[in-house]
Amino acid sequence: MECVIDTNVIINEMIEDAELHDSAVNGLEKIKRILIPTVVVEELVYALKNLSISDEIIKNKIEELLKTDNIEIISINSLNFQEATKLIIKHKVSFKRFNDKLILSVAKIGQIPLFTFDRDLMAQCRKENVEVFS
Amino acid sequence: MVKTTIMLEDQLYKQLVNEALEEYGSTRKLSLLINRKLKQSGRLKKQGKITKVRIKLGRKLSEKEIENAVENGWNGAVKWNV
C-alpha cells in the first residue's frame, strides 16, 4: 500500500525516546510506498532545529529520505494550493494551518491514506473522507 | 551520453512528438525532451548508501512536545505577526 506521511511520524520514527517511536516504526514498516510532501520536509527541518538537533544530523536525515527507495518526495502543485485554500475557507481556520491543509490536499486529491499522529488532522481527514492510516 | 533503442507506447510517442514540435520546432530534440522529463520527475531509482538516522535525546519526548516543535519551528521560521 501507499501512504502520505505527516511530519510528526518522521520525528517519532527518528527519535528513539519519543513516546510514539514504536508506533511510527511499526506503521512505516507496513507501508510499501511512502509519499512525503515537500512541505513535510520543510516542517521537519524547522521542527528538528526547534528541538536543538544538530545541522549535521538534520542533513543526514534529509539525505536518508532522499535516498530511500520506497520514499518519494511529492511536490506541491497548483491543485494542492487550490484545494488547501478551499479547505481553509470551508473549515474556517487561519492560514496558519495552511501546511496541514496542503498535506491533507495531497492525500485527498490522490485518494491516498494519511499517516499522522495529529488528532486535529485525523479529524479533518474524516471530514474530507480521507482514510487515516493506523 | 549513451545511444540506445527504447519501445514507447503509441500514445506516449505521439504526445512526446507533439511536445517536441511545440517546444523545439522539430522532433530531432526528442532525446533532450525525454532526458528533461525523467530528471524533472525525480522518480529514477535512487543510488548511494542509506544510513538510517536515529537519535536519542536522553529524555522522553511526548506527542505534545513534537506537535509544539513542528508548530513553533515553523512559526519561528516564518515569523507570523497575526
Side-chain angles (χ1 to χ4, degrees):
Chain A
M1 74 170 305
E2 57 180 11
C3 205
V4 176
I5 306 298
D6 193 9
T7 316
N8 50 53
V9 175
I10 304 174
I11 298 173
N12 272 290
E13 180 269 342
M14 178 181 174
I15 299 178
E16 290 178 351
D17 28 22
E19 206 171 48
L20 298 173
H21 175 71
D22 291 343
S23 305
V25 171
N26 294 337
L28 288 169
E29 276 173 2
K30 289 180 199 155
I31 302 167
K32 199 174 172 195
R33 189 163 163 251
I34 295 170
L35 306 175
I36 302 179
T38 46
V39 66
V40 165
V41 181
E42 289 180 71
E43 275 194 343
L44 175 69
V45 169
Y46 298 130
L48 293 177
K49 283 305 289 177
N50 191 266
L51 288 167
S52 304
I53 308 296
S54 75
D55 286 357
E56 181 67 15
I57 292 174
I58 296 174
K59 178 183 85 73
N60 291 341
K61 187 65 192 176
I62 292 173
E63 275 178 7
E64 179 205 318
L65 298 179
L66 296 175
K67 284 182 181 172
T68 304
D69 256 346
N70 70 332
I71 293 180
E72 197 171 312
I73 308 293
I74 299 289
S75 295
I76 299 290
N77 60 33
S78 55
L79 285 179
N80 299 121
F81 283 111
Q82 279 172 8
E83 182 63 31
T85 306
K86 269 201 289 188
L87 291 170
I88 286 279
I89 305 301
K90 185 177 167 188
H91 297 165
K92 295 179 181 149
V93 293
S94 159
F95 270 95
K96 272 190 173 186
R97 309 250 49 103
F98 199 50
N99 283 356
D100 281 354
K101 303 299 185 196
L102 284 170
I103 297 163
L104 177 58
S105 78
V106 172
K108 187 179 173 184
I109 291 169
Q111 295 181 304
I112 304 162
L114 177 63
F115 186 13
T116 182
F117 294 123
D118 180 340
R119 289 184 182 83
D120 284 347
L121 192 50
M122 285 182 199
Q124 290 169 41
C125 284
R126 289 185 197 104
K127 273 188 202 166
E128 298 301 323
N129 293 320
V130 171
E131 187 184 337
V132 178
F133 176 83
S134 54
Chain B
M1 290 283 188
V2 178
K3 194 170 182 178
T4 187
T5 304
I6 53 167
M7 304 294 284
L8 293 171
E9 290 175 18
D10 292 352
Q11 194 55 39
L12 277 178
Y13 176 71
K14 279 180 196 162
Q15 282 175 8
L16 285 167
V17 165
N18 286 338
E19 257 186 76
L21 284 170
E22 272 174 35
E23 289 193 35
Y24 306 113
S26 154
T27 56
R28 297 172 69 91
K29 298 277 175 74
L30 212 51
S31 294
L32 182 69
L33 183 67
I34 292 170
N35 272 292
R36 204 190 71 204
K37 282 183 177 293
L38 282 170
K39 280 185 200 162
Q40 283 173 343
S41 77
R43 290 180 185 193
L44 291 176
K45 194 164 171 64
K46 295 155 190 175
Q47 291 180 332
K49 190 168 170 268
I50 306 155
T51 313
K52 248 213 171 343
V53 179
R54 295 260 172 90
I55 55 166
K56 279 190 177 177
L57 293 183
R59 63 179 177 88
K60 207 78 193 156
L61 190 66
S62 70
E63 204 182 329
K64 188 71 196 159
E65 280 176 284
I66 290 180
E67 281 308 316
N68 287 342
V70 172
E71 188 152 338
N72 296 338
W74 184 266
N75 288 346
V78 299
K79 301 262 190 297
W80 290 91
N81 288 317
V82 290

